[in-house]
Amino acid sequence: MSGGGARRVLEAWRLGVVKYGEALKLQERLVADRRAGRVPDLVLSLQHPPTYTFGKRRTDHNLLVPESSLGRLGAELHRTERCGDVTFRGPRQAVLYPILSLRDIGLGARRYVEGLEAAMVEVASLYGVEARPGGRCTGVWVGDRKIGAIGVRISSGFTSHGLAFNIDPDLGYFKHIVPCGIANKDVTSLRQEAKVELPPDEVIHHQLVQSLAKTFRFSDVKVKDDSECTEMVYSAAAQR
């Protein structure tokens, strides 16, 4: 989705399960580092414990249970500065948080979001699932069922937050919210829709990263696992 030029490598940080608040602090630090040129374009690939998040519109009415009851559900609540409405993040979702310079990859905000959607559509197709972008309703859909959500933040041309692709999460968590503020729409998963047996989740995470890199015309992907990123993750989590 951008022109040719010098060879560009996307770093992919495979972090496993990360608490939402820790991932938020890590993104904030990495955006500052990317802006200063201390890190290259990269993407965080991870999962979260059960977490509900609000975007900057603060549409609390789309949380359908009292905030005080979330602990009994085993879930946390976080308010963020990303775009979008209330959503759920949890186990068996593939979550990608790209930390990119849109200027360097030659994209505006709309084309960037379309690229995130295209990556999820491509991965769904690998398993016989015909998904599509939502148009006015952002994210990726199978019929009228949402399989992938998008909520991004772009600050001075640098990205954070990103996408969540439902591999096989507990869909019961979505019953407690109006997902992304869109009423009367169901949420689905790759497990429910796929025509073939699914591989381990790590394989699907990798496929999403590779599709994202291809969509944004990166030449290659350099993978770092959590042992290589531990110092940065813990340092960011310690920030107050």
Side-chain angles (χ1 to χ4, degrees), residues 30-51:
L30 287 172
V31 167
D33 286 348
R34 181 67 190 89
R35 184 179 288 115
R38 291 188 290 266
V39 297
D41 286 328
L42 60 91
V43 58
L44 307 181
S45 176
L46 51 86
Q47 297 185 54
H48 290 304
T51 308

Side-chain angles (χ1 to χ4, degrees), residues 22-240:
E22 293 178 3
L24 195 59
K25 292 175 184 176
L26 178 59
Q27 290 178 79
E28 291 169 354
R29 175 167 178 176
L30 287 172
V31 167
D33 286 348
R34 181 67 190 89
R35 184 179 288 115
R38 291 188 290 266
V39 297
D41 286 328
L42 60 91
V43 58
L44 307 181
S45 176
L46 51 86
Q47 297 185 54
H48 290 304
T51 308
Y52 293 103
T53 75
F54 280 106
K56 57 188 177 182
R57 284 192 288 174
R58 303 291 190 262
T59 49
D60 291 34
H61 58 279
N62 286 328
L63 178 65
L64 303 180
V65 295
E67 187 174 332
S68 59
S69 72
L70 295 181
R72 293 193 296 274
L73 298 175
E76 296 182 346
L77 177 67
H78 286 269
R79 302 176 187 277
T80 77
E81 292 302 312
R82 64 164 172 79
C83 295
D85 209 299
V86 64
T87 192
F88 172 75
R89 299 286 178 264
R92 309 298 309 278
Q93 280 183 327
V95 176
L96 298 189
Y97 293 142
I99 311 295
L100 308 176
S101 167
L102 292 186
R103 181 175 300 172
D104 284 359
I105 63 176
L107 293 180
R110 182 66 251 173
R111 293 288 301 281
Y112 171 64
V113 170
E114 289 171 353
L116 299 180
E117 292 172 334
M120 290 191 282
V121 168
E122 180 177 53
V123 171
S125 73
L126 298 177
Y127 301 97
V129 178
E130 187 175 343
R132 59 172 178 80
R136 291 179 62 188
C137 301
T138 60
V140 169
W141 300 74
V142 180
D144 61 356
R145 303 175 300 281
K146 194 166 193 176
I147 195 171
I150 291 176
V152 303
R153 185 182 187 198
I154 301 173
S155 175
S156 302
F158 295 91
T159 69
S160 58
H161 297 273
L163 66 83
F165 184 68
N166 294 337
I167 300 174
D168 189 23
D170 181 349
L171 298 180
Y173 280 103
F174 290 95
K175 296 178 181 178
H176 304 301
I177 59 174
V178 180
C180 302
I182 304 171
N184 303 315
K185 298 290 185 181
D186 289 330
V187 177
T188 191
S189 67
L190 193 62
R191 172 71 66 190
Q192 285 197 348
E193 303 291 342
K195 306 297 190 290
V196 297
E197 187 68 21
L198 298 184
D201 288 6
E202 293 78 8
V203 173
I204 298 171
H205 279 252
H206 179 71
Q207 290 168 335
L208 270 173
V209 168
Q210 292 290 335
S211 181
L212 190 79
K214 181 177 70 173
T215 298
F216 294 142
R217 302 287 179 89
F218 285 92
S219 308
D220 201 1
V221 175
K222 179 181 179 182
V223 176
K224 291 186 174 183
D225 64 25
D226 55 357
S227 66
E228 297 177 90
C229 307
T230 298
E231 183 178 352
M232 175 71 83
V233 173
Y234 284 157
S235 175
Q239 292 178 347
R240 294 291 184 267

